[in-house]
Structures are given as structure tokens and as C-alpha cells.
Amino acid sequence: MRSTIRTRTLTALTATALTLALTSCGSDDDSPSGTSTSSGTGGDTSASVQLPKLNGQTLEVAAVWTGPEQENFTKVLKEFEKRTGAKVNFVPTGNNTSTFLGTKIEGGQPPDVAFLPQVGVLHQFAEKGWIKPLGADAQAQLDKNFSAGWKDLGAFEGKQYGIYVKAANKSLIWYNTAAFEAAGLTDTPTTWKDFIATAQTLSDAGSPAVSVGGADGWTLTDWFENVYLSQAGPEKYDQLAQHKIKWTDPSVKAALTTLAELWGKDDLLAGGRSGALATEFPKSVTQTFSGDTPAGMVFEGDFVAANINADTKAKLGTDAKVFPFPAVGDQAPVVSGGDVAVALKDGAGAQALLTFLGSTDAAEIWAAQGGFLSPSKTMDQASYKDDVTRDIAKALIAAGDDFRFDMSDQAPAAFGGTQGVGEWKDLQDFLKNPNDVAGTQQKLETDAAKAYKNS
């Protein structure tokens, strides 16, 4: 049986703090203070965590990241290598993480450590005995640096398997300030109605209004989850996440109908529906902040900052700013996501890497690169590369255990986490034909029922 995932809604106070934080301007700082990048060994007194000597050992770590995200993570691995003497090879999994890892495991060649982007996959792997419980040192870092809510997400049936070292706020709209100024826009929208009006104003002024990375189905699930959480409310959100209500429920119809107000208007989407379906996530960011006719807005999490920093000349806080996902119902949504580090092999090397990844040392090195958000409550917030990300991180920590986790990441991978099938494919088909609300609901329910039955 799949255990119930701990989810809660943000308090009004935290939501207000988030709104204030995200609308502030930031400055890019290439030399953040507080970053612990000691060159030392396991006995370096400047380190917050002590690591064993692993000279001669080679470890493999797998994750979905490519491009700037992979490059930033590699700097964390380099520090681990420096301190332990081990060599660490990074292997990208592609979008089908569970399929990639399952094939490796069944073939007898699993990586030592892997990052799982879905809670549902952690549960499935734990049930199969494919992942190893945390050792004492890794558990100590988890207990020291993370709140109970994040610890719960990495556990299954009373055992702690993973550490959520990388979090995401997936309720953000990033916007091109020059496009807003050219369209005469001085305020950012706070409601869905105002958001659609803002998009129309941008389009009328000659800018592609909203850039959508529809070639990556996971971005479309994030669109749906934000609309659904705000419109249907947290109780319905939890019920749908656990498939206690069907996708044919009227609340799903309402959310899809709302999405169709944007997805059904070619003039509001960069490249229209066909262009959106051909646009992968990284391109959805770059075409908002570069080129001759950049789009006005792009939706996705805090990790957008990594692509802005690496692939465009835009400066966070000046050329590129951010505001919370607009309220569809009474309150604006706040959806969190994250990547959980787990060990797929026994041995000191895998546990040492988990221990390091759970430390403030690793978090601060990673934060200094940009495009990264840590749920660590003890890391030095001054480590973040820019004020925009720092404010988002502070709001995340202020939320404590009060958050809603990404719905598709809670689902079995066959429904919520696999390219070309399930929810990813069904929402891509809906983006292609936003008039077919009922048909989309039925396809979603058919795919969900099958996946949950088999999980």
C-alpha cells in the first residue's frame, strides 16, 4: 500500500511573505558571502561535516539534470571528491528517470546514488527493495538541517530512505521587464483574470505573451496543479493526488476550462499551440529573455534562474523579475517540488555522498551557483547568488512544514512521471485541442486508474 503523503496548505502569513519577497528587486552577486568551499579533507575543521577517506573508489550518481543544472551540481561533486579522494561520475537519466534506473537496477548495474524527482517513485523503489535506508551519519545531517515535513517526504513505511536536498517553488511567473515596459504595463497581475488581460496587452503590443514549454509534459502538469490548487482548494487537491476522486470530477473540468482560456488562444502563446508543443523547457526560458522578439512571460519554478543566468544576458532583478502564480480562486497557489537523493548500493561511498549532500556545506556551494533552492533550515542564506532566489528560499523556509507537494510527483510514475504517456501525454493532447475538456478528463481518468491499480 502506498503511504499517505504529508501535505498542507501555506498559511496566509507565509503566502503574504512570499508575495512581498517575490516582487522585490534583486541584484546579481558573483561573490556571495557565507559559502563554505573549503579545500580540505575529512579532518578540515572549517567543514560542517566530517567525511571518510575514499581514495581509489569510483562512485556513480544519476539525476535528470542537463546543461546549467548539471554543471552547477558538478561543482558540488568536485568538493566531495576533494574531501574524500573518491571519483564521482555523473550520469543523466533523461526525463524517464524511473525507467532508466529500473533498467540499470534489473541489469545489475545501478548507480551508487540517484536523485528521484517523484515521491511516487521513491515509494515504488522502496517497496521493491531497490533503495537503501539512510546510514547514521546521513540521518544525523537530515535531522540537523531539515524540517519534519521534508523528512517525511523521504520516508516510507517508517524507514528513512532519502534526503530532499533540492527543492523547488513551482508557483512562479517570470517576466521580461522590457516587454512589460513596452506594453505600458506597470503592475503585475495577482488574479487569473488579470493575468489573461496582461497577456492580451502584451500580445496587442507586439510581444509573444506567454512562453510555454509544452514539449516537456511535466511543465503542463505544473500549470494544471497551480490552477487546480487555487480553484478547487487544498482538500480536493489532496483527494485527486491520492486518486480518491476521479479525474472526471467537476473540479477537474473547471480547472481544464480555466487553462483553456490561455491555451486556447494562439495569439497569447509564443508560436501558438503548435509552437508551444515543439518548445522544450530550456527554450521556453531563453525565448522569454533573448532574441529579437522575446516573450513577455514564462511560467515555472525557481530553477528558471539557472537558465536565465547561463543561457541569456538578462540580469535577475532588473531584466528578469518574478511574481507569484496568480490566484484563480480565493488564494494564490503555492506548489512545491524537489529531488530526493537515495542510495541504490550498499557501502561507505554511497552513504558518504548522501551525508555530504545533506550538509550545509553542499547546500551553500550549490546555492552560490544560482538556479538552486534548498529546504535546509540551517544553511547560510547569504550563499544564494542573487536576492531574488534568496527571497524565494527565505519564504520556503518560513513555510516550515506547511506546503503542498507537486501532484504528479506523488502519482505512480506510469501516470505522473513518464514522457509520452499518462498525464504528460494527456495534457499535451489537451494543449493541442483545448476544446476537448470531457475527452481529456476521460483519458486522464483511464490512465490514472490503471497506474494506481498497478502501483
Side-chain angles (χ1 to χ4, degrees):
M1 295 290 293
R2 291 167 57 82
S3 65
T4 300
I5 295 173
R6 183 180 185 177
T7 53
R8 298 187 182 92
T9 190
L10 281 169
T11 62
L13 177 61
T14 301
T16 300
L18 181 64
T19 301
L20 292 173
L22 296 182
T23 53
S24 66
C25 295
S27 60
D28 209 36
D29 183 358
D30 292 328
S31 302
S33 61
T35 304
S36 188
T37 55
S38 63
S39 60
T41 65
D44 191 337
T45 57
S46 66
S48 72
V49 61
Q50 304 304 306
L51 301 171
K53 281 296 187 180
L54 301 170
N55 293 329
Q57 292 194 32
T58 298
L59 306 177
E60 188 172 88
V61 58
V64 69
W65 309 311
T66 58
E69 286 189 295
Q70 178 183 338
E71 292 170 10
N72 293 345
F73 178 55
T74 298
K75 294 180 181 178
V76 178
L77 296 180
K78 291 295 183 184
E79 181 67 14
F80 177 80
E81 290 178 330
K82 192 183 300 181
R83 296 191 189 187
T84 63
K87 177 176 175 57
V88 185
N89 295 324
F90 178 86
V91 179
T93 65
N95 279 334
N96 294 339
T97 300
S98 62
T99 301
F100 175 90
L101 293 175
T103 301
K104 285 278 195 178
I105 293 165
E106 291 176 338
Q109 296 181 317
D112 295 88
V113 170
F115 282 83
L116 308 180
Q118 289 99 18
V119 178
V121 173
L122 182 145
H123 291 178
Q124 290 174 321
F125 280 21
E127 281 187 317
K128 292 175 181 289
W130 284 356
I131 53 180
K132 313 300 179 183
L134 293 187
D137 290 341
Q139 183 71 50
Q141 291 299 311
L142 179 68
D143 292 340
K144 175 184 176 183
N145 299 323
F146 298 85
S147 70
W150 288 101
K151 289 164 63 175
D152 287 351
L153 287 168
F156 181 71
E157 294 186 344
K159 290 185 179 180
Q160 193 73 47
Y161 288 97
I163 305 177
Y164 269 88
V165 298
K166 189 176 189 291
N169 180 320
K170 304 183 86 172
S171 299
L172 304 174
I173 307 289
W174 301 79
Y175 68 101
N176 185 317
T177 56
F180 267 54
E181 290 169 5
L185 292 164
T186 57
D187 297 318
T188 55
T190 58
T191 67
W192 181 260
K193 179 180 179 181
D194 289 343
F195 177 71
I196 297 297
T198 296
Q200 190 64 60
T201 299
L202 286 163
S203 178
D204 292 345
S207 292
V210 183
S211 178
V212 176
D216 289 324
W218 59 268
T219 68
L220 304 184
T221 69
D222 290 346
W223 273 103
F224 173 83
E225 288 156 10
N226 277 274
V227 168
Y228 189 83
L229 176 57
S230 182
Q231 190 170 46
E235 290 185 10
K236 284 280 192 181
Y237 185 95
D238 292 345
Q239 291 169 2
L240 188 61
Q242 298 168 39
H243 202 224
K244 291 183 177 179
I245 59 174
K246 294 183 177 182
W247 284 80
T248 50
D249 190 86
S251 62
V252 177
K253 177 182 178 180
L256 292 175
T257 302
T258 297
L259 275 175
E261 293 175 8
L262 174 67
W263 292 3
K265 295 182 178 179
D266 271 354
D267 61 318
L268 299 187
L269 304 179
R273 290 193 297 274
S274 60
L277 284 165
T279 300
E280 295 179 341
F281 162 68
K283 183 182 176 182
S284 73
V285 178
T286 57
Q287 70 182 15
T288 307
F289 298 104
S290 60
D292 294 334
T293 55
M297 298 180 286
V298 61
F299 156 72
E300 253 312 332
D302 55 275
F303 44 84
V304 165
N307 297 83
I308 294 174
N309 286 332
D311 301 329
T312 78
K313 296 180 180 180
K315 296 296 183 182
L316 289 175
T318 53
D319 307 315
K321 292 185 179 181
V322 64
F323 60 87
F325 196 96
V328 184
D330 292 336
Q331 293 186 345
V334 180
V335 177
S336 295
D339 298 276
V340 60
V342 298
L344 277 68
K345 284 184 179 180
D346 291 313
Q351 290 295 331
L353 182 52
L354 287 181
T355 300
F356 181 62
L357 291 171
S359 72
T360 56
D361 290 1
E364 289 164 7
I365 294 168
W366 211 341
Q369 312 312 315
F372 167 81
L373 201 66
S374 173
S376 172
K377 63 184 180 181
T378 52
M379 69 166 282
D380 186 351
Q381 300 290 312
S383 302
Y384 283 103
K385 183 180 177 67
D386 58 84
D387 289 342
V388 172
T389 307
R390 187 177 301 112
D391 286 343
I392 296 171
K394 287 178 180 178
L396 178 72
I397 299 304
D401 295 337
D402 292 334
F403 55 86
R404 275 301 188 286
F405 203 81
D406 185 299
M407 185 188 295
S408 63
D409 288 351
Q410 299 182 44
F415 179 65
T418 304
Q419 187 171 340
V421 299
E423 188 181 0
W424 292 20
K425 176 63 163 58
D426 295 341
L427 288 179
Q428 286 176 321
D429 289 344
F430 181 63
L431 175 58
K432 185 183 298 183
N433 181 17
N435 293 321
D436 189 16
V437 173
T440 299
Q441 283 187 268
Q442 189 57 61
K443 286 195 293 183
L444 286 163
E445 175 54 29
T446 298
D447 290 339
K450 181 180 178 181
Y452 279 87
K453 180 180 178 180
N454 294 333
S455 69

